[in-house]
C-alpha cells in the first residue's frame, strides 16, 4: 500500500500515523509476548514478567465465554488506570466494525487497537476503515485471504484468531499453518495465475502480488487464541509466528507471574527445547481449558469476522 | 568481519538484512558464546525493559558490558540507544543498561504511539542529504558528557532541537530506525566504524 505512505520529499514536516510508523510499531514487538490484562495490578505483573505490551480488556475471553452477554470496549477509567501503571505499550480491543469505540481508544492514547472477534461484533458486514486512524490496528485472521482483506482496510499487524478463551491451541495451529501454506503456494505460482489466486482468496490483486514476490505478509504476523503454556508459545513461533498474544492462559492459571515469565523466555528461545523444558518446570496449574470440539459452532469466536 | 544483532526481542531481521546488504556477515546473538564469535554488535529496536530482563536472565548482560568496556563497536537503534546509555529517565527501576555512552536518555520521550512520526534528521558525518528518520515511541537524549559527539537533532516540529543521534568512541546510537527505511547510510557508517576499530586493534 505504498500509495498510502506519505512521500518523504513532499514536505519536511513530521508525519504521524503513516503506514510505516504503524507497521513499524508492530516490528518492534516481534519476538515478544503481549498479555491480556483486566486490572492495573495484572498489567504490572505482565510488565514485571517481561511482556512487550499489554492488552487491556474488560473480561478475559474465558470469562466472556463463561458469562455470555454482549462484550464491549473496556471502561475508559480502567484503560487509563493501566496506561498510568505501566511504561510498556498498551493495546485495547474494539468490537468488529465499531469505529466509535476505536475513536475513543485513540483519544485515550492506547498504542494499538485490536479489532477483535473476542468482543461481540457491531457490524456484520463491514470492518472498521483503519486507514482513517492515527492509531494502528491489529486484526485476527484464519487464512491468507482474510489477513489480506484486513490489511487492505488498513490493519498494520495480523494475528491468528485461534479459539480464544479455550486454552486449546489447535485452532491457532490450524490458522498459522493455513496462512503460511497459502503464502508458500503464492510464491510458487507463475505471475499469470495470480489473478485467479486473488479471486479465490477474495483479496486485492496488488496485495496478492506483493505476497507472492516477498514470501511474507506486508505486516507482522503474531499468533493468538488458546496459547496456555511455554511449549504452546514456542510451537507457534516454530510454525512461523513472529510473536505471541496470550489471553486467558496467564491470569486463569495457578501462578500468573511465573507462567508469564516462562512464556516470555520460551518465546525468545522457541527453538531451544532445553530452555523450554527448564522454564516449564513447577508452573502449577495451567488454565483448565475447553476443547474447541466441545464448543458448538455458533459459539466459536473465530467464526466472527468476514 | 562478523557483526552480531542482539536477538532477545525486537526487529532483529531488519537489522540482519541491512547489515547483509552492507557486505558483512551478520548473525543473531542470544547467548554469551554467540557474543564471543562476533567483532561488533547491533542492538535493535524493541522493548528495552524486555531486553534488559532477558539479558540478565540468560547471562548476556555482564559479558556484553565487558565487551563494550573492552572497545567492541556497538550500534543501538531506539531500544538499543536506551541499552547503551549510562542513565535512563522514565525507565523501570530494575532496568539495566550497558552504560556505554555517557548520556541521559529519556524513554518514550516523544509520547505514545499516536505521536510516533517520520521526518528528516541531518546527521553529521553522513553525506547525501537529510536522513528520513522513523521514530516509534522513541527516546531522545537529554544530555551528554563532553566527549560524546552529537551527530543529529530533530529539525522540524514540536521536538525540534532534540538530540537523536550520538557517538562516543566505538559506540553509535540513534533514537530512530534506519533499518525500517531501506536507507543503508547509518549501517554503512557503523560498518566503517567497526572496520576502523578492527584495524586499530590489529
Amino acid at each position: 500500500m505504498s500509495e498510502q505512505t506519505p512521500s518523504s520529499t513532499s514536505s519536511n514536516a513530521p508525519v504521524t500515523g503513516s503506514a510505516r510508523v504503524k507497521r513499524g510499531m508492530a516490528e518492534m514487538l516481534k519476538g515478544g509476548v503481549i498479555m491480556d490484562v483486566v486490572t492495573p495490578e495484572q498489567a504490572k505483573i505482565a510488565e514485571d514478567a517481561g511482556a512487550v505490551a499489554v492488552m487491556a480488556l474488560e473480561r478475559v475471553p474465558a470469562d466472556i465465554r463463561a458469562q455470555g452477554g454482549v462484550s464491549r470496549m473496556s471502561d475508559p477509567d480502567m484503560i487509563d488506570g493501566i496506561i498510568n501503571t505501566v511504561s510498556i505499550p498498551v493495546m485495547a480491543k474494539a468490537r468488529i466494525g465499531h469505529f466509535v469505540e476505536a475513536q475513543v481508544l485513540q483519544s485515550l492514547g492506547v498504542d494499538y487497537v485490536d479489532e477483535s472477534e473476542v468482543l461481540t461484533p457491531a457490524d456484520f458486514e463491514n470492518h472498521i476503515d483503519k486507514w482513517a486512524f492515527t492509531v494502528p490496528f491489529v486484526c485476527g485472521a484464519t487464512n491468507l485471504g482474510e489477513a489480506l482483506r484486513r490489511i487492505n482496510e488498513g490493519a498494520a499487524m495480523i494475528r491468528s484468531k485461534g479459539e480464544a478463551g479455550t486454552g486449546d491451541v489447535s485452532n491457532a495451529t490450524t490458522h498459522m499453518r493455513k496462512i503460511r501454506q497459502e503464502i508458500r503456494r503464492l510464491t510458487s505460482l507463475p505471475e499469470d495465475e495470480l489473478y485467479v489466486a486473488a479471486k479465490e482468496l477474495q483479496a486485492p490483486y496488488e496485495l496478492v502480488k506483493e505476497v507472492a514476490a516477498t514470501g511474507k505478509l506486508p505486516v507482522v504476523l503474531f499468533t493468538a487464541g488458546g496459547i496456555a503454556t511455554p511449549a504452546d508459545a514456542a510451537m507457534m513461533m516454530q510454525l512461523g509466528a513472529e510473536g505471541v498474544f496470550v489471553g486467558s492462559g496467564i491470569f486463569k492459571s495457578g501462578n500468573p507471574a511465573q507462567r508469564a515469565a516462562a512464556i516470555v523466555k520460551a518465546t525468545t528461545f522457541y527453538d531451544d527445547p532445553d530452555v523450554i523444558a527448564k522454564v516449564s518446570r513447577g508452573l502449577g496449574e495451567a488454565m483448565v481449558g475447553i476443547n474447541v470440539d466441545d464448543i458448538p459452532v455458533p459459539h466459536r469466536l473465530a467464526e466472527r469476522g468476514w | 568481519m562478523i557483526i552480531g544483532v542482539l536477538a532477545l526481542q525486537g526487529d532483529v531481521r531488519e537489522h540482519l538484512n541491512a547489515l547483509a546488504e552492507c557486505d558483512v556477515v551478520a548473525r543473531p546473538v542470544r547467548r554469551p558464546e554467540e557474543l564471543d564469535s562476533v567483532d561488533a554488535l547491533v542492538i535493535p529496536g524493541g522493548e528495552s525493559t524486555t531486553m534488559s530482563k532477558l539479558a540478565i536472565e540468560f547471562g548476556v548482560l555482564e559479558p556484553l558490558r565487558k565487551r563494550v568496556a573492552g572497545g567492541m563497536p556497538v550500534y543501538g537503534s531506539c531500544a538499543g540507544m536506551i541499552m547503551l546509555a549510562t542513565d535512563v529517565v522514565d525507565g523501570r527501576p530494575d532496568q539495566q543498561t550497558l552504560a556505554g555512552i555517557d548520556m541521559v536518555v529519556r524513554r518514550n520521550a516523544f509520547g505514545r504511539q499516536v505521536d510516533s512520526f517520520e521526518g528528516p534528521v541531518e546527521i553529521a558525518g553522513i553525506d547525501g542529504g537529510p536522513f528520513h528518520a522513523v521514530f516509534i515511541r522513541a527516546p531522545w537524549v537529554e544530555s551528554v558528557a563532553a566527549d560524546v559527539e552529537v551527530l543529529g537533532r530533530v529539525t522540524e516540529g514540536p521536538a525540534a532541537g532534540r538530540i537523536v543521534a550520538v557517538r562516543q568512541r566505538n559506540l553509535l546510537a540513534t533514537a530512530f530506525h534506519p533499518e525500517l527505511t531501506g536507507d543503508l547510510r547509518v549501517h554503512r557508517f557503523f560498518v566503517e566504524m567497526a572496520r576502523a576499530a578492527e584495524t586499530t586493534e590489529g
Side-chain angles (χ1 to χ4, degrees):
Chain A
M1 306 309 294
S2 57
E3 74 274 12
Q4 302 275 1
T5 310
S7 157
S8 60
T9 51
S10 62
S11 161
N12 271 342
V15 179
T16 57
S18 63
R20 188 185 270 160
V21 164
K22 290 173 170 177
R23 293 175 182 185
M25 172 75 208
E27 302 284 354
M28 301 312 143
L29 300 170
K30 284 191 300 193
V33 182
I34 300 165
M35 303 180 190
D36 275 8
V37 297
V38 301
T39 64
E41 293 70 35
Q42 289 186 354
K44 191 80 183 62
I45 292 170
E47 186 182 51
D48 289 344
V52 289
V54 291
M55 173 74 72
L57 71 172
E58 195 176 42
R59 295 179 285 171
V60 293
D63 288 334
I64 291 172
R65 197 176 280 293
Q67 296 159 6
V70 175
S71 200
R72 309 177 177 91
M73 177 188 81
S74 301
D75 183 332
D77 279 344
M78 175 274 211
I79 293 170
D80 275 348
I82 290 172
I83 286 176
N84 293 332
T85 301
V86 296
S87 64
I88 56 176
V90 176
M91 301 183 165
K93 288 186 194 284
R95 283 180 266 177
I96 290 174
H98 206 314
F99 53 89
V100 174
E101 283 189 349
Q103 289 165 2
V104 170
L105 293 174
Q106 175 168 292
S107 152
L108 292 173
V110 306
D111 297 296
Y112 239 95
V113 174
D114 184 1
E115 186 182 18
S116 178
E117 70 283 359
V118 166
L119 307 185
T120 308
D123 188 326
F124 282 94
E125 287 182 355
N126 303 289
H127 282 248
I128 297 169
D129 173 10
K130 294 165 275 286
W131 296 114
F133 289 78
T134 306
V135 68
F137 282 72
V138 54
C139 289
T142 58
N143 57 51
L144 180 60
E146 196 176 1
L148 295 181
R149 288 195 292 280
R150 297 294 85 79
I151 293 167
N152 193 45
E153 296 156 1
M157 180 180 188
I158 294 291
R159 55 170 175 76
S160 67
K161 283 184 175 171
E163 188 57 34
T166 59
D168 179 346
V169 78
S170 61
N171 277 19
T173 310
T174 309
H175 300 160
M176 190 58 58
R177 281 195 186 274
K178 178 88 176 160
I179 291 169
R180 303 266 298 168
Q181 264 166 17
E182 289 176 321
I183 291 174
R184 280 196 298 275
R185 176 170 176 273
L186 282 188
T187 62
S188 70
L189 290 182
E191 274 191 35
D192 63 352
E193 292 180 15
L194 291 176
Y195 301 100
V196 170
K199 185 193 80 175
E200 287 167 357
L201 287 167
Q202 298 179 55
Y205 169 72
E206 285 304 322
L207 284 173
V208 168
K209 199 172 128 189
E210 187 180 344
V211 171
T214 61
K216 62 184 281 298
L217 289 182
V219 303
V220 166
L221 174 63
F222 267 47
T223 186
I227 288 112
T229 69
D232 287 349
M235 178 172 74
M236 298 313 297
M237 293 294 288
Q238 289 197 28
L239 287 174
E242 297 181 285
V244 178
F245 284 89
V246 186
S248 319
I250 289 172
F251 289 100
K252 286 286 163 191
S253 74
N255 187 343
Q258 199 188 344
R259 181 166 296 265
I263 293 176
V264 168
K265 291 174 198 165
T267 300
T268 292
F269 288 90
Y270 65 91
D271 54 352
D272 186 334
D274 294 341
V275 172
I276 300 163
K278 191 172 158 216
V279 303
S280 298
R281 290 175 198 276
L283 289 183
E285 292 276 310
M287 72 179 282
V288 175
I290 312 167
N291 296 310
V292 175
D293 277 349
D294 296 339
I295 303 170
V297 172
H299 297 289
R300 291 190 194 171
L301 304 175
E303 309 287 326
R304 296 170 169 176
W306 12 93
Chain B
M1 160 90 47
I2 300 171
I3 300 187
V5 177
L6 189 66
L8 296 170
Q9 191 272 318
D11 68 335
V12 177
R13 184 182 59 211
E14 285 63 30
H15 278 290
L16 289 171
N17 291 346
L19 290 167
E21 284 192 58
C22 295
D23 300 318
V24 292
V25 177
R27 60 171 71 141
V29 168
R30 287 182 296 184
R31 300 178 177 83
E33 57 272 25
E34 291 163 349
L35 181 62
D36 293 341
S37 72
V38 302
D39 304 303
L41 187 74
V42 171
I43 306 178
E47 178 46 55
S48 62
T49 58
T50 303
M51 279 183 208
S52 157
K53 200 168 289 291
L54 289 167
I56 296 165
E57 284 170 10
F58 288 94
V60 287
L61 187 74
E62 282 310 319
L64 264 173
R65 281 180 172 159
K66 284 203 184 90
R67 289 293 304 269
V68 168
M72 174 176 68
V74 183
Y75 165 48
S77 70
C78 195
M81 172 184 256
I82 297 171
M83 289 294 288
L84 281 172
T86 43
D87 293 286
V88 180
V89 180
D90 289 345
R92 281 174 52 91
D94 61 350
Q95 187 161 0
Q96 297 291 314
T97 73
L98 306 177
I101 301 179
D102 290 319
M103 62 177 171
V104 179
V105 167
R106 180 176 294 276
R107 188 163 159 255
N108 302 334
F110 292 92
R112 305 194 67 82
Q113 171 59 16
V114 289
D115 306 306
S116 293
F117 66 99
E118 43 185 316
V121 173
E122 297 270 5
I123 306 176
I126 294 187
D127 297 333
F131 200 89
H132 186 71
V134 180
F135 293 88
I136 295 173
R137 282 177 55 101
W140 67 44
V141 180
E142 296 259 320
S143 62
V144 294
D147 60 341
V148 176
E149 282 178 81
V150 173
L151 300 181
R153 294 176 188 266
V154 176
T155 54
E156 307 287 333
R162 291 294 178 180
I163 303 170
V164 291
V166 295
R167 176 181 180 177
Q168 186 176 26
R169 300 180 300 273
N170 289 335
L171 306 173
L172 176 70
T174 63
F176 52 89
H177 296 281
E179 73 278 12
L180 293 182
T181 59
D183 186 336
L184 294 172
R185 287 179 292 163
V186 173
H187 288 87
R188 288 194 198 287
F189 183 80
F190 176 63
V191 169
E192 286 315 308
M193 272 174 61
R195 289 210 168 106
E198 196 175 45
T199 318
T200 22
E201 277 173 2

PDB file of all heavy atoms in Angstrom, chain A residues 227-250:
ATOM      1  N   ILE A 227      -3.310 -20.106  23.511  1.00  0.00           N
ATOM      2  CA  ILE A 227      -1.940 -20.373  23.970  1.00  0.00           C
ATOM      3  C   ILE A 227      -1.922 -20.332  25.503  1.00  0.00           C
ATOM      4  O   ILE A 227      -2.295 -19.331  26.109  1.00  0.00           O
ATOM      5  CB  ILE A 227      -0.948 -19.355  23.360  1.00  0.00           C
ATOM      6  CG1 ILE A 227      -0.762 -19.672  21.880  1.00  0.00           C
ATOM      7  CG2 ILE A 227       0.422 -19.436  24.044  1.00  0.00           C
ATOM      8  CD1 ILE A 227      -1.298 -18.689  20.961  1.00  0.00           C
ATOM      9  N   ALA A 228      -1.491 -21.434  26.130  1.00  0.00           N
ATOM     10  CA  ALA A 228      -1.581 -21.538  27.593  1.00  0.00           C
ATOM     11  C   ALA A 228      -0.272 -21.958  28.252  1.00  0.00           C
ATOM     12  O   ALA A 228      -0.141 -21.860  29.462  1.00  0.00           O
ATOM     13  CB  ALA A 228      -2.692 -22.523  27.974  1.00  0.00           C
ATOM     14  N   THR A 229       0.693 -22.457  27.480  1.00  0.00           N
ATOM     15  CA  THR A 229       1.937 -22.970  28.079  1.00  0.00           C
ATOM     16  C   THR A 229       3.156 -22.422  27.313  1.00  0.00           C
ATOM     17  O   THR A 229       3.019 -21.978  26.167  1.00  0.00           O
ATOM     18  CB  THR A 229       1.998 -24.513  28.000  1.00  0.00           C
ATOM     19  OG1 THR A 229       2.154 -24.889  26.625  1.00  0.00           O
ATOM     20  CG2 THR A 229       0.750 -25.166  28.569  1.00  0.00           C
ATOM     21  N   PRO A 230       4.341 -22.488  27.944  1.00  0.00           N
ATOM     22  CA  PRO A 230       5.557 -22.108  27.211  1.00  0.00           C
ATOM     23  C   PRO A 230       5.729 -22.923  25.930  1.00  0.00           C
ATOM     24  O   PRO A 230       6.122 -22.379  24.890  1.00  0.00           O
ATOM     25  CB  PRO A 230       6.675 -22.405  28.224  1.00  0.00           C
ATOM     26  CG  PRO A 230       6.022 -22.285  29.561  1.00  0.00           C
ATOM     27  CD  PRO A 230       4.620 -22.798  29.363  1.00  0.00           C
ATOM     28  N   ALA A 231       5.398 -24.207  25.991  1.00  0.00           N
ATOM     29  CA  ALA A 231       5.547 -25.051  24.797  1.00  0.00           C
ATOM     30  C   ALA A 231       4.580 -24.632  23.693  1.00  0.00           C
ATOM     31  O   ALA A 231       4.922 -24.680  22.502  1.00  0.00           O
ATOM     32  CB  ALA A 231       5.336 -26.525  25.163  1.00  0.00           C
ATOM     33  N   ASP A 232       3.356 -24.213  24.081  1.00  0.00           N
ATOM     34  CA  ASP A 232       2.402 -23.704  23.075  1.00  0.00           C
ATOM     35  C   ASP A 232       3.018 -22.507  22.346  1.00  0.00           C
ATOM     36  O   ASP A 232       2.976 -22.417  21.112  1.00  0.00           O
ATOM     37  CB  ASP A 232       1.102 -23.202  23.734  1.00  0.00           C
ATOM     38  CG  ASP A 232       0.210 -24.321  24.253  1.00  0.00           C
ATOM     39  OD1 ASP A 232       0.472 -25.497  23.939  1.00  0.00           O
ATOM     40  OD2 ASP A 232      -0.756 -23.995  24.978  1.00  0.00           O
ATOM     41  N   ALA A 233       3.563 -21.561  23.126  1.00  0.00           N
ATOM     42  CA  ALA A 233       4.125 -20.343  22.536  1.00  0.00           C
ATOM     43  C   ALA A 233       5.286 -20.698  21.608  1.00  0.00           C
ATOM     44  O   ALA A 233       5.377 -20.196  20.483  1.00  0.00           O
ATOM     45  CB  ALA A 233       4.599 -19.393  23.639  1.00  0.00           C
ATOM     46  N   ALA A 234       6.156 -21.594  22.062  1.00  0.00           N
ATOM     47  CA  ALA A 234       7.327 -21.961  21.265  1.00  0.00           C
ATOM     48  C   ALA A 234       6.911 -22.688  19.980  1.00  0.00           C
ATOM     49  O   ALA A 234       7.496 -22.469  18.919  1.00  0.00           O
ATOM     50  CB  ALA A 234       8.260 -22.840  22.091  1.00  0.00           C
ATOM     51  N   MET A 235       5.886 -23.531  20.077  1.00  0.00           N
ATOM     52  CA  MET A 235       5.426 -24.227  18.870  1.00  0.00           C
ATOM     53  C   MET A 235       4.918 -23.222  17.835  1.00  0.00           C
ATOM     54  O   MET A 235       5.222 -23.329  16.645  1.00  0.00           O
ATOM     55  CB  MET A 235       4.325 -25.243  19.197  1.00  0.00           C
ATOM     56  CG  MET A 235       3.800 -25.938  17.948  1.00  0.00           C
ATOM     57  SD  MET A 235       2.675 -27.306  18.247  1.00  0.00           S
ATOM     58  CE  MET A 235       1.199 -26.427  18.741  1.00  0.00           C
ATOM     59  N   MET A 236       4.144 -22.244  18.287  1.00  0.00           N
ATOM     60  CA  MET A 236       3.612 -21.255  17.348  1.00  0.00           C
ATOM     61  C   MET A 236       4.742 -20.451  16.708  1.00  0.00           C
ATOM     62  O   MET A 236       4.677 -20.103  15.531  1.00  0.00           O
ATOM     63  CB  MET A 236       2.617 -20.325  18.041  1.00  0.00           C
ATOM     64  CG  MET A 236       1.378 -21.014  18.608  1.00  0.00           C
ATOM     65  SD  MET A 236       0.592 -22.175  17.487  1.00  0.00           S
ATOM     66  CE  MET A 236       0.102 -21.084  16.180  1.00  0.00           C
ATOM     67  N   MET A 237       5.790 -20.164  17.482  1.00  0.00           N
ATOM     68  CA  MET A 237       6.952 -19.459  16.914  1.00  0.00           C
ATOM     69  C   MET A 237       7.630 -20.341  15.868  1.00  0.00           C
ATOM     70  O   MET A 237       8.037 -19.865  14.804  1.00  0.00           O
ATOM     71  CB  MET A 237       7.945 -19.087  18.015  1.00  0.00           C
ATOM     72  CG  MET A 237       7.447 -18.040  19.004  1.00  0.00           C
ATOM     73  SD  MET A 237       7.161 -16.395  18.304  1.00  0.00           S
ATOM     74  CE  MET A 237       8.851 -15.830  18.039  1.00  0.00           C
ATOM     75  N   GLN A 238       7.757 -21.635  16.175  1.00  0.00           N
ATOM     76  CA  GLN A 238       8.387 -22.536  15.193  1.00  0.00           C
ATOM     77  C   GLN A 238       7.535 -22.666  13.942  1.00  0.00           C
ATOM     78  O   GLN A 238       8.060 -22.926  12.863  1.00  0.00           O
ATOM     79  CB  GLN A 238       8.635 -23.917  15.816  1.00  0.00           C
ATOM     80  CG  GLN A 238       9.750 -23.908  16.844  1.00  0.00           C
ATOM     81  CD  GLN A 238      10.294 -25.301  17.158  1.00  0.00           C
ATOM     82  OE1 GLN A 238      10.236 -26.188  16.313  1.00  0.00           O
ATOM     83  NE2 GLN A 238      10.814 -25.472  18.363  1.00  0.00           N
ATOM     84  N   LEU A 239       6.230 -22.486  14.081  1.00  0.00           N
ATOM     85  CA  LEU A 239       5.341 -22.544  12.916  1.00  0.00           C
ATOM     86  C   LEU A 239       5.346 -21.229  12.135  1.00  0.00           C
ATOM     87  O   LEU A 239       4.632 -21.098  11.153  1.00  0.00           O
ATOM     88  CB  LEU A 239       3.910 -22.890  13.351  1.00  0.00           C
ATOM     89  CG  LEU A 239       3.687 -24.340  13.793  1.00  0.00           C
ATOM     90  CD1 LEU A 239       2.274 -24.515  14.343  1.00  0.00           C
ATOM     91  CD2 LEU A 239       3.916 -25.298  12.622  1.00  0.00           C
ATOM     92  N   GLY A 240       6.116 -20.249  12.596  1.00  0.00           N
ATOM     93  CA  GLY A 240       6.273 -19.035  11.794  1.00  0.00           C
ATOM     94  C   GLY A 240       5.650 -17.784  12.379  1.00  0.00           C
ATOM     95  O   GLY A 240       5.680 -16.732  11.738  1.00  0.00           O
ATOM     96  N   ALA A 241       5.088 -17.865  13.586  1.00  0.00           N
ATOM     97  CA  ALA A 241       4.590 -16.644  14.220  1.00  0.00           C
ATOM     98  C   ALA A 241       5.787 -15.764  14.565  1.00  0.00           C
ATOM     99  O   ALA A 241       6.870 -16.269  14.865  1.00  0.00           O
ATOM    100  CB  ALA A 241       3.803 -16.985  15.483  1.00  0.00           C
ATOM    101  N   GLU A 242       5.587 -14.444  14.521  1.00  0.00           N
ATOM    102  CA  GLU A 242       6.674 -13.511  14.850  1.00  0.00           C
ATOM    103  C   GLU A 242       6.562 -13.013  16.289  1.00  0.00           C
ATOM    104  O   GLU A 242       7.391 -12.217  16.735  1.00  0.00           O
ATOM    105  CB  GLU A 242       6.657 -12.346  13.859  1.00  0.00           C
ATOM    106  CG  GLU A 242       6.923 -12.820  12.431  1.00  0.00           C
ATOM    107  CD  GLU A 242       6.949 -11.700  11.413  1.00  0.00           C
ATOM    108  OE1 GLU A 242       5.860 -11.193  11.068  1.00  0.00           O
ATOM    109  OE2 GLU A 242       8.037 -11.324  10.971  1.00  0.00           O
ATOM    110  N   GLY A 243       5.553 -13.469  17.009  1.00  0.00           N
ATOM    111  CA  GLY A 243       5.359 -13.104  18.399  1.00  0.00           C
ATOM    112  C   GLY A 243       4.036 -13.698  18.861  1.00  0.00           C
ATOM    113  O   GLY A 243       3.320 -14.310  18.060  1.00  0.00           O
ATOM    114  N   VAL A 244       3.714 -13.489  20.142  1.00  0.00           N
ATOM    115  CA  VAL A 244       2.622 -14.248  20.753  1.00  0.00           C
ATOM    116  C   VAL A 244       1.696 -13.341  21.568  1.00  0.00           C
ATOM    117  O   VAL A 244       2.170 -12.515  22.356  1.00  0.00           O
ATOM    118  CB  VAL A 244       3.223 -15.332  21.700  1.00  0.00           C
ATOM    119  CG1 VAL A 244       2.130 -16.115  22.396  1.00  0.00           C
ATOM    120  CG2 VAL A 244       4.152 -16.258  20.923  1.00  0.00           C
ATOM    121  N   PHE A 245       0.402 -13.508  21.373  1.00  0.00           N
ATOM    122  CA  PHE A 245      -0.586 -12.947  22.296  1.00  0.00           C
ATOM    123  C   PHE A 245      -1.033 -14.058  23.244  1.00  0.00           C
ATOM    124  O   PHE A 245      -1.381 -15.145  22.773  1.00  0.00           O
ATOM    125  CB  PHE A 245      -1.837 -12.482  21.543  1.00  0.00           C
ATOM    126  CG  PHE A 245      -1.694 -11.193  20.782  1.00  0.00           C
ATOM    127  CD1 PHE A 245      -1.243 -11.199  19.461  1.00  0.00           C
ATOM    128  CD2 PHE A 245      -2.056  -9.983  21.355  1.00  0.00           C
ATOM    129  CE1 PHE A 245      -1.144 -10.014  18.739  1.00  0.00           C
ATOM    130  CE2 PHE A 245      -1.956  -8.794  20.635  1.00  0.00           C
ATOM    131  CZ  PHE A 245      -1.504  -8.806  19.334  1.00  0.00           C
ATOM    132  N   VAL A 246      -1.025 -13.788  24.546  1.00  0.00           N
ATOM    133  CA  VAL A 246      -1.598 -14.756  25.481  1.00  0.00           C
ATOM    134  C   VAL A 246      -2.771 -14.090  26.180  1.00  0.00           C
ATOM    135  O   VAL A 246      -2.629 -13.020  26.779  1.00  0.00           O
ATOM    136  CB  VAL A 246      -0.579 -15.243  26.521  1.00  0.00           C
ATOM    137  CG1 VAL A 246      -1.193 -16.362  27.360  1.00  0.00           C
ATOM    138  CG2 VAL A 246       0.674 -15.748  25.834  1.00  0.00           C
ATOM    139  N   GLY A 247      -3.925 -14.704  26.081  1.00  0.00           N
ATOM    140  CA  GLY A 247      -5.135 -14.124  26.646  1.00  0.00           C
ATOM    141  C   GLY A 247      -5.395 -14.677  28.024  1.00  0.00           C
ATOM    142  O   GLY A 247      -4.725 -14.337  29.001  1.00  0.00           O
ATOM    143  N   SER A 248      -6.349 -15.602  28.102  1.00  0.00           N
ATOM    144  CA  SER A 248      -6.759 -16.154  29.391  1.00  0.00           C
ATOM    145  C   SER A 248      -5.671 -17.032  30.008  1.00  0.00           C
ATOM    146  O   SER A 248      -5.694 -17.289  31.209  1.00  0.00           O
ATOM    147  CB  SER A 248      -8.024 -16.981  29.180  1.00  0.00           C
ATOM    148  OG  SER A 248      -8.898 -16.335  28.277  1.00  0.00           O
ATOM    149  N   GLY A 249      -4.741 -17.497  29.191  1.00  0.00           N
ATOM    150  CA  GLY A 249      -3.767 -18.504  29.608  1.00  0.00           C
ATOM    151  C   GLY A 249      -2.946 -18.126  30.823  1.00  0.00           C
ATOM    152  O   GLY A 249      -2.514 -18.997  31.580  1.00  0.00           O
ATOM    153  N   ILE A 250      -2.698 -16.832  31.032  1.00  0.00           N
ATOM    154  CA  ILE A 250      -1.853 -16.431  32.151  1.00  0.00           C
ATOM    155  C   ILE A 250      -2.674 -16.211  33.424  1.00  0.00           C
ATOM    156  O   ILE A 250      -2.436 -16.852  34.442  1.00  0.00           O
ATOM    157  CB  ILE A 250      -1.049 -15.157  31.786  1.00  0.00           C
ATOM    158  CG1 ILE A 250       0.012 -15.535  30.751  1.00  0.00           C
ATOM    159  CG2 ILE A 250      -0.407 -14.541  33.039  1.00  0.00           C
ATOM    160  CD1 ILE A 250       0.755 -14.373  30.154  1.00  0.00           C
TER     161      ILE A 250
END
